Amino acid sequence: MSYLKYTIIGIFIIAFSSCKNDKTEFTLNSFKKLPKEIEGCTCILSKTEKDYEQKEYVFASNFDSIAFVSIENKIIKLKLVSRIYKPNTLENEDYICKYDTEEYKITVEIKADKTKKDSDESWWNKGSITIENRNGEKVTEKLIGESGC
């Protein structure tokens, strides 16, 4: 009798554990065309330097109050909630931006890459983006790209 009881409990445990889905329910995608609101001083980032050269962007902001990402192949406009500059750095070089939408909380961490510079008014960045949906699922990607005016 106890063998049957443990067998039934085991079957329930296996059945319920197989129903659990550890897969993240959303993905961060690249986009090729920058939205019209992205002009002037900008920060444009990609997953790799090759992607950046091929104009496959993951994140684009205008340093003011908006940014864009593509989640599940849908361009999403982000509203800047806060920008925190790291101590003892030049403005716009090392900072963390937080954005919020109805569905996502997004954190972008930027660090200037001083080993590579295109001009006096633009610079390369390395960083990361973390996107969290309202269910608590997160996606984090490393990024590289350029900022400037």
Side-chain angles (χ1 to χ4, degrees), residues 28 128-131 138-142:
L28 180 64
S128 64
I129 185 168
T130 300
I131 302 173
K138 288 184 183 181
V139 170
T140 300
E141 296 272 351
K142 291 191 182 284

PDB file of all heavy atoms in Angstrom, residues 28 128-131 138-142:
ATOM      1  N   LEU A  28      15.041  40.027 -27.000  1.00  0.00           N
ATOM      2  CA  LEU A  28      15.502  41.338 -27.456  1.00  0.00           C
ATOM      3  C   LEU A  28      16.012  41.166 -28.880  1.00  0.00           C
ATOM      4  O   LEU A  28      16.833  40.300 -29.144  1.00  0.00           O
ATOM      5  CB  LEU A  28      16.618  41.825 -26.536  1.00  0.00           C
ATOM      6  CG  LEU A  28      17.248  43.168 -26.829  1.00  0.00           C
ATOM      7  CD1 LEU A  28      16.222  44.283 -26.667  1.00  0.00           C
ATOM      8  CD2 LEU A  28      18.413  43.406 -25.889  1.00  0.00           C
ATOM      9  N   SER A 128      25.640  47.126 -20.927  1.00  0.00           N
ATOM     10  CA  SER A 128      24.668  46.042 -20.891  1.00  0.00           C
ATOM     11  C   SER A 128      23.265  46.620 -20.775  1.00  0.00           C
ATOM     12  O   SER A 128      23.081  47.758 -20.355  1.00  0.00           O
ATOM     13  CB  SER A 128      24.942  45.103 -19.720  1.00  0.00           C
ATOM     14  OG  SER A 128      24.767  45.782 -18.498  1.00  0.00           O
ATOM     15  N   ILE A 129      22.319  45.804 -21.169  1.00  0.00           N
ATOM     16  CA  ILE A 129      20.914  46.156 -21.027  1.00  0.00           C
ATOM     17  C   ILE A 129      20.231  44.993 -20.316  1.00  0.00           C
ATOM     18  O   ILE A 129      20.480  43.832 -20.638  1.00  0.00           O
ATOM     19  CB  ILE A 129      20.254  46.442 -22.394  1.00  0.00           C
ATOM     20  CG1 ILE A 129      18.816  46.934 -22.214  1.00  0.00           C
ATOM     21  CG2 ILE A 129      20.331  45.244 -23.315  1.00  0.00           C
ATOM     22  CD1 ILE A 129      18.199  47.499 -23.491  1.00  0.00           C
ATOM     23  N   THR A 130      19.424  45.326 -19.329  1.00  0.00           N
ATOM     24  CA  THR A 130      18.617  44.324 -18.634  1.00  0.00           C
ATOM     25  C   THR A 130      17.157  44.722 -18.777  1.00  0.00           C
ATOM     26  O   THR A 130      16.790  45.848 -18.458  1.00  0.00           O
ATOM     27  CB  THR A 130      19.000  44.224 -17.143  1.00  0.00           C
ATOM     28  OG1 THR A 130      20.373  43.860 -17.053  1.00  0.00           O
ATOM     29  CG2 THR A 130      18.144  43.196 -16.425  1.00  0.00           C
ATOM     30  N   ILE A 131      16.374  43.796 -19.277  1.00  0.00           N
ATOM     31  CA  ILE A 131      14.948  44.032 -19.466  1.00  0.00           C
ATOM     32  C   ILE A 131      14.198  43.050 -18.579  1.00  0.00           C
ATOM     33  O   ILE A 131      14.449  41.849 -18.634  1.00  0.00           O
ATOM     34  CB  ILE A 131      14.538  43.833 -20.932  1.00  0.00           C
ATOM     35  CG1 ILE A 131      15.352  44.791 -21.812  1.00  0.00           C
ATOM     36  CG2 ILE A 131      13.041  44.059 -21.113  1.00  0.00           C
ATOM     37  CD1 ILE A 131      15.144  44.571 -23.285  1.00  0.00           C
ATOM     38  N   LYS A 138      13.660  38.065 -16.784  1.00  0.00           N
ATOM     39  CA  LYS A 138      14.697  39.018 -17.191  1.00  0.00           C
ATOM     40  C   LYS A 138      15.506  38.498 -18.374  1.00  0.00           C
ATOM     41  O   LYS A 138      15.734  37.308 -18.502  1.00  0.00           O
ATOM     42  CB  LYS A 138      15.678  39.257 -16.050  1.00  0.00           C
ATOM     43  CG  LYS A 138      15.140  40.063 -14.912  1.00  0.00           C
ATOM     44  CD  LYS A 138      16.235  40.308 -13.893  1.00  0.00           C
ATOM     45  CE  LYS A 138      15.695  41.058 -12.701  1.00  0.00           C
ATOM     46  NZ  LYS A 138      16.745  41.333 -11.724  1.00  0.00           N
ATOM     47  N   VAL A 139      15.936  39.448 -19.189  1.00  0.00           N
ATOM     48  CA  VAL A 139      16.881  39.198 -20.265  1.00  0.00           C
ATOM     49  C   VAL A 139      17.991  40.231 -20.106  1.00  0.00           C
ATOM     50  O   VAL A 139      17.714  41.420 -19.937  1.00  0.00           O
ATOM     51  CB  VAL A 139      16.211  39.357 -21.650  1.00  0.00           C
ATOM     52  CG1 VAL A 139      17.240  39.330 -22.760  1.00  0.00           C
ATOM     53  CG2 VAL A 139      15.178  38.279 -21.860  1.00  0.00           C
ATOM     54  N   THR A 140      19.251  39.781 -20.148  1.00  0.00           N
ATOM     55  CA  THR A 140      20.393  40.687 -20.077  1.00  0.00           C
ATOM     56  C   THR A 140      21.293  40.426 -21.272  1.00  0.00           C
ATOM     57  O   THR A 140      21.580  39.281 -21.597  1.00  0.00           O
ATOM     58  CB  THR A 140      21.185  40.495 -18.771  1.00  0.00           C
ATOM     59  OG1 THR A 140      20.325  40.768 -17.665  1.00  0.00           O
ATOM     60  CG2 THR A 140      22.378  41.434 -18.705  1.00  0.00           C
ATOM     61  N   GLU A 141      21.732  41.495 -21.937  1.00  0.00           N
ATOM     62  CA  GLU A 141      22.615  41.400 -23.097  1.00  0.00           C
ATOM     63  C   GLU A 141      23.756  42.387 -22.939  1.00  0.00           C
ATOM     64  O   GLU A 141      23.560  43.504 -22.450  1.00  0.00           O
ATOM     65  CB  GLU A 141      21.869  41.774 -24.386  1.00  0.00           C
ATOM     66  CG  GLU A 141      20.742  40.869 -24.753  1.00  0.00           C
ATOM     67  CD  GLU A 141      21.176  39.682 -25.607  1.00  0.00           C
ATOM     68  OE1 GLU A 141      22.337  39.649 -26.057  1.00  0.00           O
ATOM     69  OE2 GLU A 141      20.333  38.802 -25.788  1.00  0.00           O
ATOM     70  N   LYS A 142      24.940  42.000 -23.379  1.00  0.00           N
ATOM     71  CA  LYS A 142      26.067  42.922 -23.453  1.00  0.00           C
ATOM     72  C   LYS A 142      25.916  43.727 -24.747  1.00  0.00           C
ATOM     73  O   LYS A 142      25.436  43.205 -25.750  1.00  0.00           O
ATOM     74  CB  LYS A 142      27.388  42.157 -23.448  1.00  0.00           C
ATOM     75  CG  LYS A 142      27.665  41.496 -22.126  1.00  0.00           C
ATOM     76  CD  LYS A 142      29.090  40.983 -22.091  1.00  0.00           C
ATOM     77  CE  LYS A 142      29.376  40.288 -20.793  1.00  0.00           C
ATOM     78  NZ  LYS A 142      29.567  41.122 -19.686  1.00  0.00           N
TER      79      LYS A 142
END
